[in-house]
Amino acid sequence: MDERGDEENPRVDPRGVDPLERALHSARALVLADLIAGDVARAEVVSLVEESVSHRRWWVEQWPEGAAYVAGLVAQDVQDALMERYGRWPLCPVCSEAEGVEAESHALDVEPELGPDPHWVCGKAGVVIAAVGSLGGGRRAVGGTDTDPAGPEHGRGGRDASGEPGGAS
């Protein structure tokens, strides 16, 4: 292969790394980081990530300009698959207990739905919680604090009392 990556395969960067593969590996790592932060990265859940990455590989090969959107799409794919099998994930830490009144738990949304720089957002409160891949620390709610929400069912990972991600639907 041409080391410059511009003659034989124009999509390969000067270091010999295909940008589409880099986007897929990055998406996998970001979503796995969020699953690990929530202590829900069991083998069957990691398999859901791999399944999504496999499907998104075809998608991004068809539309290379969409590589910047892959992380958000993989996060949404995994969230949808978890909802079908286990329940909501990740649960919103902002609305878990509003003003001392028990609120119905809900999952965070990925925004933008199709765009670069995806974030986990509470759609009800309109608050950005963290970038995809950062649920375990670092950036928290915009204007919020760095403290963990109280209660195991409303923690960063969104696990219910049975230890499953997200609780009952």
Side-chain angles (χ1 to χ4, degrees):
M1 172 173 29
D2 185 322
E3 287 183 6
R4 290 173 290 145
D6 57 352
E7 292 177 21
E8 290 181 30
N9 185 352
R11 294 190 330 197
V12 175
D13 73 11
R15 297 170 300 213
V17 179
D18 183 340
L20 302 181
E21 284 301 313
R22 188 174 341 119
L24 291 165
H25 288 289
S26 176
R28 175 189 292 114
L30 291 171
V31 174
L32 285 173
D34 286 343
L35 291 166
I36 290 167
D39 196 27
V40 294
R42 295 182 311 277
E44 61 272 13
V45 175
V46 172
S47 292
L48 298 174
V49 177
E50 295 304 323
E51 196 175 302
S52 173
V53 169
S54 176
H55 290 136
R56 292 302 175 178
R57 176 173 279 110
W58 178 87
W59 181 84
V60 79
E61 285 172 350
Q62 304 308 304
W63 188 43
E65 296 80 21
Y69 309 153
V70 172
L73 292 171
V74 170
Q76 290 174 45
D77 292 346
V78 171
Q79 186 179 43
D80 291 346
L82 283 170
M83 181 65 178
E84 290 175 16
R85 291 170 177 85
Y86 303 108
R88 296 176 185 97
W89 176 85
L91 292 180
C92 178
V94 174
C95 298
S96 61
E97 291 185 24
E99 299 177 15
V101 176
E102 187 94 18
E104 180 181 334
S105 62
H106 64 93
L108 297 173
D109 299 320
V110 175
E111 288 186 9
E113 287 186 26
L114 183 62
D117 194 28
H119 285 73
W120 293 109
V121 175
C122 170
K124 289 185 179 186
V127 177
V128 174
I129 303 300
V132 168
S134 298
L135 282 177
R139 294 180 275 181
R140 299 295 292 164
V142 173
T145 67
D146 288 329
T147 59
D148 286 339
E153 72 277 9
H154 299 295
R156 289 182 190 151
R159 293 172 69 92
D160 69 7
S162 69
E164 295 298 328
S169 12

